[in-house]
Amino acid sequence: MTTDQPASPEPQVTPYHFDYEAWLAEDAKRRAAFAEQLINLKAHLFDTLKARGIVLVTVSFDGCGDSGQIEDISAVDEHGAVELASITLSQSDCQTGGGGPESNAPRPITDAIETLAYDLLESEHGGWENNDGAYGEFTFDVAARKITLEHNQRFTSSELYTREW
């Protein structure tokens, strides 16, 4: 059978090219911007905590199976446990990589701490919630003005032993 239709050309596959150098440059910019935002957020956060007499904040997290969450945020002053629910920061003082729409409306400090914890986890241990996951704790030392992360990565392991006699 003959046809007047022209033959369809073979589809052309355009090879994918990942520009690693461009990705590294973009990642460096993102990290620099995050570091700058972190400096400002830490200053406001630690000033606010210090003004309330809080000496330590701990944030525990746990994740696995492609899901992860902040489990608990707790704070202590020189007398013991302190409730953080009534403490607020302005929205503009809370911005890091994961911030939402900007406004100056007060935001609970626990929201700012939680967002910061998620942003730090993503920055340092992206995928912490995947597969076997990870768990750990952030410690906010107000006097030292330092945030410390203890991160425990879970993984499944197997060892094969073969014997022949």
Side-chain angles (χ1 to χ4, degrees):
M1 171 188 227
T2 327
T3 178
D4 294 353
Q5 300 286 332
S8 298
E10 288 294 318
Q12 298 297 315
V13 177
T14 305
Y16 176 74
H17 173 70
F18 178 73
D19 189 344
Y20 185 68
E21 296 299 321
W23 180 85
L24 283 176
E26 186 61 34
D27 186 56
K29 285 183 196 175
R30 183 191 59 78
R31 286 182 176 274
F34 180 75
E36 185 68 30
Q37 292 170 339
L38 182 59
I39 290 168
N40 295 329
L41 176 57
K42 278 178 57 179
H44 291 293
L45 186 61
F46 284 126
D47 288 348
T48 302
L49 293 170
K50 184 177 180 180
R52 298 292 182 113
I54 295 169
V55 296
L56 186 72
V57 174
T58 56
V59 179
S60 60
F61 64 93
D62 192 7
C64 68
D66 301 339
S67 178
Q69 60 280 332
I70 300 298
E71 296 283 320
D72 184 54
I73 299 174
S74 60
V76 294
D77 64 11
E78 64 184 32
H79 304 292
V82 175
E83 187 60 44
L84 292 174
S86 64
I87 303 173
T88 60
L89 291 174
S90 72
Q91 182 77 16
S92 61
D93 292 341
C94 301
Q95 296 302 309
T96 60
E102 290 189 39
S103 76
N104 284 327
R107 178 179 181 191
I109 199 167
T110 51
D111 288 357
I113 291 169
E114 182 175 302
T115 299
L116 176 57
Y118 280 125
D119 289 346
L120 289 170
L121 277 170
E122 184 62 32
S123 175
E124 297 302 313
H125 297 282
W128 63 274
E129 73 284 8
N130 293 331
N131 302 320
D132 292 342
Y135 65 96
E137 184 173 89
F138 288 93
T139 303
F140 292 66
D141 182 337
V142 178
R145 298 176 79 86
K146 288 186 181 177
I147 302 169
T148 304
L149 168 61
E150 290 185 356
H151 181 268
N152 301 280
Q153 189 71 37
R154 294 186 191 103
F155 59 92
T156 301
S157 177
S158 65
E159 295 182 31
L160 171 66
Y161 298 95
T162 304
R163 303 253 160 95
E164 289 185 8
W165 288 270

